Amino acid sequence: METNKQLFAEPEHLHSVGFSPVRQVMEKMRTLERQGHQVIPFQIGEPDFDTPRCIVEATKQALDAKFTHYAPNRGSVEFRKAIGQLLFQKGLQYDPETEILVTVGGAEAIFDGVFAFLDKGDEVIVPTPSFMNYRNDIAMAGGRFVELPLRAEDSFQINITALKQAITPKTKMLIINNPSNPTGIIFTPDVLKQVAKIAVRYNLIVFSDEIYDEIVYDGTPCVSIATFPGMRERTIVMNGFSKSFAMTGWRVGYLAAPPSVITTMLKVHQYVSTCIPTFIQEGLASSMLSAECQADRRAMVAAFSRKRKLLLEGLSTIPQLRFSVPHGAFYVFVDVSSSGVDGSQFADRLLAERHVAVVPGIGFSPSASRFVRFSFATSEENIREGVERIRRFVGSLAK
């Protein structure tokens, strides 16, 4: 019997899995706060709003009514019906009985979609920069992450020629995030139409992360790729309540796909999490479509729009910073290379010297080393103060 092996050696499928750069910045920020510093939080992808009161009250009532036992693995029928109505408002039609699966947030939904369909060596094309979960989930599943770099000079839209060139006989899936984290860019309907034709031609699964689809600005259309011809049968739509309902801590997400696809993902879901709390499902089912809840959500997006304008106006007065105007989510992806340092140095020094937290772009792609991500999901007071600190910081770099 072998006795010299390391008992808790990290398994091979975790060797290329990294920690979230966002969480790493948060840990540094909290250390500074414990030391008494006031840190401007431009790093977190979380609405700075409370969950709509009607949802909170309905969930309390569900607790009082003793909705504290297991829900079905797929999610309660009532909640799935409410999700079905929400999807219908977006131009998507899915049967709540067989085509919707409730998950523990969007993170589990991504995990389920990747693990349910990837075999070892399968390739997944991901437009980058991208949410870090995609790369790490694909690695854990034994798949191969294939970057499709998006260029700032193209406003981070997908280059169709480059997409075709990235496809090989091993390509199985394409992941798109629309609107995008970290760029805030919305893919145009024309680009999505061309992507859809390629997915049909090459018989690809498309995992469409639409978690920010209701946080859009300037009347910019945000269309689901599942609405294009030939796409419903090959698309997994992911969405949730963290962003547009300000419910990050509640951990509620969902997947929508054809029945057989849902059944396969259910195999992963039932052993990962079983179900989300029953009282949350009951509370949401009875409140999420109410006029009060919808009004609260519209007010939140309107506030984000004002904050976006304020941050963009401030950043545009700092010549060394360049960015594409985001039309969705609550992020600005900023090229800081003209400041004289790369994104990682910029983020580290900005936090240490001026106590402003941003996320280095390299955390979203090795090719994004000259960028940092700003989140404007913070107060207008923080945005004004943060911009002034950044202005002084960038000025100090030029000396």
mmCIF file of all heavy atoms in Angstrom, residues 217-250:
data_model
loop_
_atom_site.group_PDB
_atom_site.id
_atom_site.type_symbol
_atom_site.label_atom_id
_atom_site.label_comp_id
_atom_site.label_asym_id
_atom_site.label_seq_id
_atom_site.Cartn_x
_atom_site.Cartn_y
_atom_site.Cartn_z
ATOM 1 N N TYR A 217 -29.927 50.736 -21.553
ATOM 2 C CA TYR A 217 -30.006 52.186 -21.593
ATOM 3 C C TYR A 217 -30.193 52.697 -23.025
ATOM 4 O O TYR A 217 -29.879 52.003 -23.996
ATOM 5 C CB TYR A 217 -28.727 52.797 -20.997
ATOM 6 C CG TYR A 217 -28.319 52.152 -19.688
ATOM 7 C CD1 TYR A 217 -27.235 51.268 -19.624
ATOM 8 C CD2 TYR A 217 -29.042 52.387 -18.523
ATOM 9 C CE1 TYR A 217 -26.870 50.665 -18.425
ATOM 10 C CE2 TYR A 217 -28.695 51.784 -17.322
ATOM 11 C CZ TYR A 217 -27.612 50.918 -17.275
ATOM 12 O OH TYR A 217 -27.269 50.306 -16.097
ATOM 13 N N ASP A 218 -30.685 53.914 -23.101
ATOM 14 C CA ASP A 218 -30.823 54.630 -24.381
ATOM 15 C C ASP A 218 -31.743 53.916 -25.362
ATOM 16 O O ASP A 218 -31.628 54.105 -26.583
ATOM 17 C CB ASP A 218 -29.450 54.842 -25.041
ATOM 18 C CG ASP A 218 -28.485 55.595 -24.143
ATOM 19 O OD1 ASP A 218 -28.955 56.408 -23.315
ATOM 20 O OD2 ASP A 218 -27.265 55.365 -24.259
ATOM 21 N N GLY A 219 -32.649 53.078 -24.857
ATOM 22 C CA GLY A 219 -33.562 52.367 -25.750
ATOM 23 C C GLY A 219 -32.889 51.321 -26.609
ATOM 24 O O GLY A 219 -33.459 50.867 -27.612
ATOM 25 N N THR A 220 -31.683 50.913 -26.241
ATOM 26 C CA THR A 220 -30.945 49.918 -27.026
ATOM 27 C C THR A 220 -31.650 48.566 -26.970
ATOM 28 O O THR A 220 -31.938 48.058 -25.890
ATOM 29 C CB THR A 220 -29.516 49.756 -26.478
ATOM 30 O OG1 THR A 220 -28.897 51.040 -26.410
ATOM 31 C CG2 THR A 220 -28.693 48.841 -27.373
ATOM 32 N N PRO A 221 -31.948 47.968 -28.122
ATOM 33 C CA PRO A 221 -32.620 46.666 -28.099
ATOM 34 C C PRO A 221 -31.685 45.564 -27.607
ATOM 35 O O PRO A 221 -30.520 45.504 -28.002
ATOM 36 C CB PRO A 221 -33.006 46.429 -29.559
ATOM 37 C CG PRO A 221 -32.033 47.253 -30.357
ATOM 38 C CD PRO A 221 -31.735 48.453 -29.496
ATOM 39 N N CYS A 222 -32.190 44.724 -26.701
ATOM 40 C CA CYS A 222 -31.436 43.567 -26.229
ATOM 41 C C CYS A 222 -32.258 42.332 -26.571
ATOM 42 O O CYS A 222 -33.297 42.069 -25.949
ATOM 43 C CB CYS A 222 -31.183 43.664 -24.732
ATOM 44 S SG CYS A 222 -30.149 42.331 -24.094
ATOM 45 N N VAL A 223 -31.813 41.596 -27.570
ATOM 46 C CA VAL A 223 -32.578 40.484 -28.129
ATOM 47 C C VAL A 223 -31.947 39.166 -27.729
ATOM 48 O O VAL A 223 -30.718 39.018 -27.755
ATOM 49 C CB VAL A 223 -32.622 40.595 -29.674
ATOM 50 C CG1 VAL A 223 -33.457 39.475 -30.269
ATOM 51 C CG2 VAL A 223 -33.165 41.952 -30.094
ATOM 52 N N SER A 224 -32.766 38.200 -27.357
ATOM 53 C CA SER A 224 -32.246 36.866 -27.052
ATOM 54 C C SER A 224 -31.941 36.125 -28.345
ATOM 55 O O SER A 224 -32.743 36.123 -29.285
ATOM 56 C CB SER A 224 -33.268 36.058 -26.244
ATOM 57 O OG SER A 224 -32.824 34.723 -26.090
ATOM 58 N N ILE A 225 -30.794 35.469 -28.388
ATOM 59 C CA ILE A 225 -30.429 34.707 -29.582
ATOM 60 C C ILE A 225 -31.377 33.533 -29.804
ATOM 61 O O ILE A 225 -31.511 33.026 -30.927
ATOM 62 C CB ILE A 225 -28.967 34.230 -29.499
ATOM 63 C CG1 ILE A 225 -28.455 33.802 -30.890
ATOM 64 C CG2 ILE A 225 -28.802 33.115 -28.459
ATOM 65 C CD1 ILE A 225 -26.966 33.576 -30.958
ATOM 66 N N ALA A 226 -32.099 33.135 -28.750
ATOM 67 C CA ALA A 226 -33.052 32.020 -28.875
ATOM 68 C C ALA A 226 -34.236 32.370 -29.765
ATOM 69 O O ALA A 226 -34.977 31.483 -30.183
ATOM 70 C CB ALA A 226 -33.553 31.593 -27.502
ATOM 71 N N THR A 227 -34.429 33.664 -30.078
ATOM 72 C CA THR A 227 -35.570 34.077 -30.903
ATOM 73 C C THR A 227 -35.289 33.965 -32.394
ATOM 74 O O THR A 227 -36.207 34.128 -33.202
ATOM 75 C CB THR A 227 -35.969 35.531 -30.579
ATOM 76 O OG1 THR A 227 -34.873 36.411 -30.891
ATOM 77 C CG2 THR A 227 -36.340 35.680 -29.118
ATOM 78 N N PHE A 228 -34.042 33.677 -32.773
ATOM 79 C CA PHE A 228 -33.706 33.617 -34.195
ATOM 80 C C PHE A 228 -34.013 32.228 -34.766
ATOM 81 O O PHE A 228 -34.047 31.231 -34.027
ATOM 82 C CB PHE A 228 -32.232 33.971 -34.403
ATOM 83 C CG PHE A 228 -31.932 35.427 -34.175
ATOM 84 C CD1 PHE A 228 -31.597 35.895 -32.906
ATOM 85 C CD2 PHE A 228 -32.012 36.342 -35.207
ATOM 86 C CE1 PHE A 228 -31.332 37.231 -32.675
ATOM 87 C CE2 PHE A 228 -31.752 37.694 -35.001
ATOM 88 C CZ PHE A 228 -31.415 38.135 -33.732
ATOM 89 N N PRO A 229 -34.266 32.145 -36.079
ATOM 90 C CA PRO A 229 -34.634 30.862 -36.697
ATOM 91 C C PRO A 229 -33.620 29.754 -36.404
ATOM 92 O O PRO A 229 -32.408 29.962 -36.505
ATOM 93 C CB PRO A 229 -34.658 31.204 -38.197
ATOM 94 C CG PRO A 229 -34.970 32.656 -38.259
ATOM 95 C CD PRO A 229 -34.280 33.254 -37.066
ATOM 96 N N GLY A 230 -34.145 28.605 -35.998
ATOM 97 C CA GLY A 230 -33.317 27.439 -35.743
ATOM 98 C C GLY A 230 -32.595 27.446 -34.418
ATOM 99 O O GLY A 230 -31.833 26.510 -34.119
ATOM 100 N N MET A 231 -32.840 28.472 -33.585
ATOM 101 C CA MET A 231 -32.046 28.609 -32.360
ATOM 102 C C MET A 231 -32.726 28.068 -31.104
ATOM 103 O O MET A 231 -32.045 27.676 -30.158
ATOM 104 C CB MET A 231 -31.672 30.075 -32.141
ATOM 105 C CG MET A 231 -30.660 30.585 -33.147
ATOM 106 S SD MET A 231 -29.160 29.555 -33.233
ATOM 107 C CE MET A 231 -28.507 29.764 -31.594
ATOM 108 N N ARG A 232 -34.035 28.068 -31.060
ATOM 109 C CA ARG A 232 -34.680 27.645 -29.817
ATOM 110 C C ARG A 232 -34.273 26.226 -29.431
ATOM 111 O O ARG A 232 -34.046 25.933 -28.253
ATOM 112 C CB ARG A 232 -36.206 27.719 -29.956
ATOM 113 C CG ARG A 232 -36.949 27.506 -28.631
ATOM 114 C CD ARG A 232 -38.454 27.481 -28.856
ATOM 115 N NE ARG A 232 -39.169 27.475 -27.590
ATOM 116 C CZ ARG A 232 -39.354 26.401 -26.832
ATOM 117 N NH1 ARG A 232 -38.833 25.221 -27.209
ATOM 118 N NH2 ARG A 232 -40.030 26.469 -25.701
ATOM 119 N N GLU A 233 -34.156 25.350 -30.399
ATOM 120 C CA GLU A 233 -33.858 23.950 -30.116
ATOM 121 C C GLU A 233 -32.401 23.703 -29.732
ATOM 122 O O GLU A 233 -32.055 22.622 -29.258
ATOM 123 C CB GLU A 233 -34.233 23.068 -31.299
ATOM 124 C CG GLU A 233 -33.560 23.419 -32.607
ATOM 125 C CD GLU A 233 -34.405 24.337 -33.481
ATOM 126 O OE1 GLU A 233 -35.088 25.231 -32.935
ATOM 127 O OE2 GLU A 233 -34.359 24.174 -34.729
ATOM 128 N N ARG A 234 -31.511 24.708 -29.921
ATOM 129 C CA ARG A 234 -30.092 24.502 -29.602
ATOM 130 C C ARG A 234 -29.582 25.514 -28.575
ATOM 131 O O ARG A 234 -28.395 25.535 -28.275
ATOM 132 C CB ARG A 234 -29.251 24.587 -30.869
ATOM 133 C CG ARG A 234 -29.162 25.966 -31.511
ATOM 134 C CD ARG A 234 -28.302 25.960 -32.767
ATOM 135 N NE ARG A 234 -28.856 25.062 -33.753
ATOM 136 C CZ ARG A 234 -28.341 23.856 -34.041
ATOM 137 N NH1 ARG A 234 -27.254 23.445 -33.408
ATOM 138 N NH2 ARG A 234 -28.888 23.096 -34.947
ATOM 139 N N THR A 235 -30.484 26.329 -28.026
ATOM 140 C CA THR A 235 -30.066 27.364 -27.080
ATOM 141 C C THR A 235 -30.506 27.036 -25.663
ATOM 142 O O THR A 235 -31.636 26.608 -25.427
ATOM 143 C CB THR A 235 -30.657 28.734 -27.481
ATOM 144 O OG1 THR A 235 -30.205 29.079 -28.789
ATOM 145 C CG2 THR A 235 -30.218 29.819 -26.499
ATOM 146 N N ILE A 236 -29.590 27.249 -24.724
ATOM 147 C CA ILE A 236 -29.904 27.214 -23.289
ATOM 148 C C ILE A 236 -29.908 28.658 -22.815
ATOM 149 O O ILE A 236 -28.874 29.334 -22.845
ATOM 150 C CB ILE A 236 -28.858 26.408 -22.501
ATOM 151 C CG1 ILE A 236 -28.757 24.968 -23.019
ATOM 152 C CG2 ILE A 236 -29.193 26.416 -21.002
ATOM 153 C CD1 ILE A 236 -27.552 24.212 -22.483
ATOM 154 N N VAL A 237 -31.064 29.155 -22.421
ATOM 155 C CA VAL A 237 -31.181 30.523 -21.919
ATOM 156 C C VAL A 237 -30.994 30.508 -20.408
ATOM 157 O O VAL A 237 -31.668 29.762 -19.698
ATOM 158 C CB VAL A 237 -32.550 31.134 -22.278
ATOM 159 C CG1 VAL A 237 -32.715 32.503 -21.599
ATOM 160 C CG2 VAL A 237 -32.697 31.269 -23.791
ATOM 161 N N MET A 238 -30.067 31.320 -19.929
ATOM 162 C CA MET A 238 -29.857 31.466 -18.489
ATOM 163 C C MET A 238 -30.226 32.879 -18.065
ATOM 164 O O MET A 238 -29.902 33.853 -18.741
ATOM 165 C CB MET A 238 -28.396 31.193 -18.121
ATOM 166 C CG MET A 238 -28.132 31.144 -16.614
ATOM 167 S SD MET A 238 -27.996 32.747 -15.804
ATOM 168 C CE MET A 238 -26.319 33.175 -16.191
ATOM 169 N N ASN A 239 -30.929 32.965 -16.935
ATOM 170 C CA ASN A 239 -31.269 34.267 -16.380
ATOM 171 C C ASN A 239 -31.452 34.108 -14.872
ATOM 172 O O ASN A 239 -31.238 33.016 -14.339
ATOM 173 C CB ASN A 239 -32.515 34.857 -17.042
ATOM 174 C CG ASN A 239 -32.454 36.373 -17.148
ATOM 175 O OD1 ASN A 239 -32.088 37.063 -16.200
ATOM 176 N ND2 ASN A 239 -32.809 36.898 -18.318
ATOM 177 N N GLY A 240 -31.819 35.176 -14.210
ATOM 178 C CA GLY A 240 -31.985 35.093 -12.770
ATOM 179 C C GLY A 240 -32.475 36.389 -12.178
ATOM 180 O O GLY A 240 -32.832 37.328 -12.890
ATOM 181 N N PHE A 241 -32.442 36.471 -10.863
ATOM 182 C CA PHE A 241 -33.045 37.572 -10.132
ATOM 183 C C PHE A 241 -32.023 38.457 -9.423
ATOM 184 O O PHE A 241 -32.383 39.479 -8.857
ATOM 185 C CB PHE A 241 -34.049 37.012 -9.122
ATOM 186 C CG PHE A 241 -35.248 36.385 -9.785
ATOM 187 C CD1 PHE A 241 -35.167 35.118 -10.355
ATOM 188 C CD2 PHE A 241 -36.448 37.061 -9.872
ATOM 189 C CE1 PHE A 241 -36.252 34.546 -10.996
ATOM 190 C CE2 PHE A 241 -37.548 36.503 -10.503
ATOM 191 C CZ PHE A 241 -37.454 35.245 -11.068
ATOM 192 N N SER A 242 -30.749 38.085 -9.469
ATOM 193 C CA SER A 242 -29.734 38.830 -8.727
ATOM 194 C C SER A 242 -29.615 40.267 -9.182
ATOM 195 O O SER A 242 -29.546 41.192 -8.352
ATOM 196 C CB SER A 242 -28.376 38.138 -8.864
ATOM 197 O OG SER A 242 -28.349 36.927 -8.160
ATOM 198 N N LYS A 243 -29.573 40.499 -10.485
ATOM 199 C CA LYS A 243 -29.273 41.829 -11.001
ATOM 200 C C LYS A 243 -30.528 42.677 -11.175
ATOM 201 O O LYS A 243 -30.658 43.741 -10.566
ATOM 202 C CB LYS A 243 -28.520 41.708 -12.331
ATOM 203 C CG LYS A 243 -27.365 40.716 -12.323
ATOM 204 C CD LYS A 243 -26.296 41.022 -11.294
ATOM 205 C CE LYS A 243 -25.147 40.016 -11.385
ATOM 206 N NZ LYS A 243 -24.069 40.266 -10.425
ATOM 207 N N SER A 244 -31.475 42.235 -11.989
ATOM 208 C CA SER A 244 -32.623 43.080 -12.304
ATOM 209 C C SER A 244 -33.656 43.141 -11.188
ATOM 210 O O SER A 244 -34.544 44.005 -11.201
ATOM 211 C CB SER A 244 -33.286 42.616 -13.610
ATOM 212 O OG SER A 244 -33.694 41.272 -13.517
ATOM 213 N N PHE A 245 -33.568 42.243 -10.201
ATOM 214 C CA PHE A 245 -34.462 42.288 -9.043
ATOM 215 C C PHE A 245 -33.703 42.655 -7.757
ATOM 216 O O PHE A 245 -34.286 42.615 -6.676
ATOM 217 C CB PHE A 245 -35.157 40.943 -8.842
ATOM 218 C CG PHE A 245 -36.277 40.667 -9.811
ATOM 219 C CD1 PHE A 245 -36.009 40.237 -11.101
ATOM 220 C CD2 PHE A 245 -37.603 40.830 -9.430
ATOM 221 C CE1 PHE A 245 -37.035 39.966 -11.998
ATOM 222 C CE2 PHE A 245 -38.637 40.561 -10.315
ATOM 223 C CZ PHE A 245 -38.362 40.131 -11.606
ATOM 224 N N ALA A 246 -32.401 42.984 -7.875
ATOM 225 C CA ALA A 246 -31.580 43.331 -6.715
ATOM 226 C C ALA A 246 -31.673 42.258 -5.630
ATOM 227 O O ALA A 246 -31.946 42.528 -4.469
ATOM 228 C CB ALA A 246 -31.981 44.696 -6.143
ATOM 229 N N MET A 247 -31.405 41.012 -6.026
ATOM 230 C CA MET A 247 -31.563 39.872 -5.117
ATOM 231 C C MET A 247 -30.310 38.999 -5.090
ATOM 232 O O MET A 247 -30.388 37.779 -5.037
ATOM 233 C CB MET A 247 -32.778 39.034 -5.531
ATOM 234 C CG MET A 247 -34.112 39.752 -5.392
ATOM 235 S SD MET A 247 -35.530 38.740 -5.889
ATOM 236 C CE MET A 247 -35.486 37.456 -4.634
ATOM 237 N N THR A 248 -29.126 39.614 -5.083
ATOM 238 C CA THR A 248 -27.898 38.828 -5.163
ATOM 239 C C THR A 248 -27.778 37.815 -4.024
ATOM 240 O O THR A 248 -27.343 36.687 -4.230
ATOM 241 C CB THR A 248 -26.668 39.756 -5.156
ATOM 242 O OG1 THR A 248 -26.768 40.660 -4.046
ATOM 243 C CG2 THR A 248 -26.586 40.563 -6.440
ATOM 244 N N GLY A 249 -28.145 38.209 -2.815
ATOM 245 C CA GLY A 249 -27.996 37.314 -1.677
ATOM 246 C C GLY A 249 -29.061 36.240 -1.567
ATOM 247 O O GLY A 249 -28.922 35.309 -0.770
ATOM 248 N N TRP A 250 -30.102 36.334 -2.368
ATOM 249 C CA TRP A 250 -31.181 35.347 -2.325
ATOM 250 C C TRP A 250 -30.827 34.087 -3.113
ATOM 251 O O TRP A 250 -31.400 33.024 -2.875
ATOM 252 C CB TRP A 250 -32.476 35.939 -2.884
ATOM 253 C CG TRP A 250 -33.021 37.099 -2.127
ATOM 254 C CD1 TRP A 250 -32.439 38.334 -1.958
ATOM 255 C CD2 TRP A 250 -34.278 37.161 -1.454
ATOM 256 N NE1 TRP A 250 -33.265 39.155 -1.232
ATOM 257 C CE2 TRP A 250 -34.408 38.451 -0.896
ATOM 258 C CE3 TRP A 250 -35.324 36.250 -1.274
ATOM 259 C CZ2 TRP A 250 -35.522 38.859 -0.174
ATOM 260 C CZ3 TRP A 250 -36.447 36.653 -0.559
ATOM 261 C CH2 TRP A 250 -36.537 37.937 -0.004
#
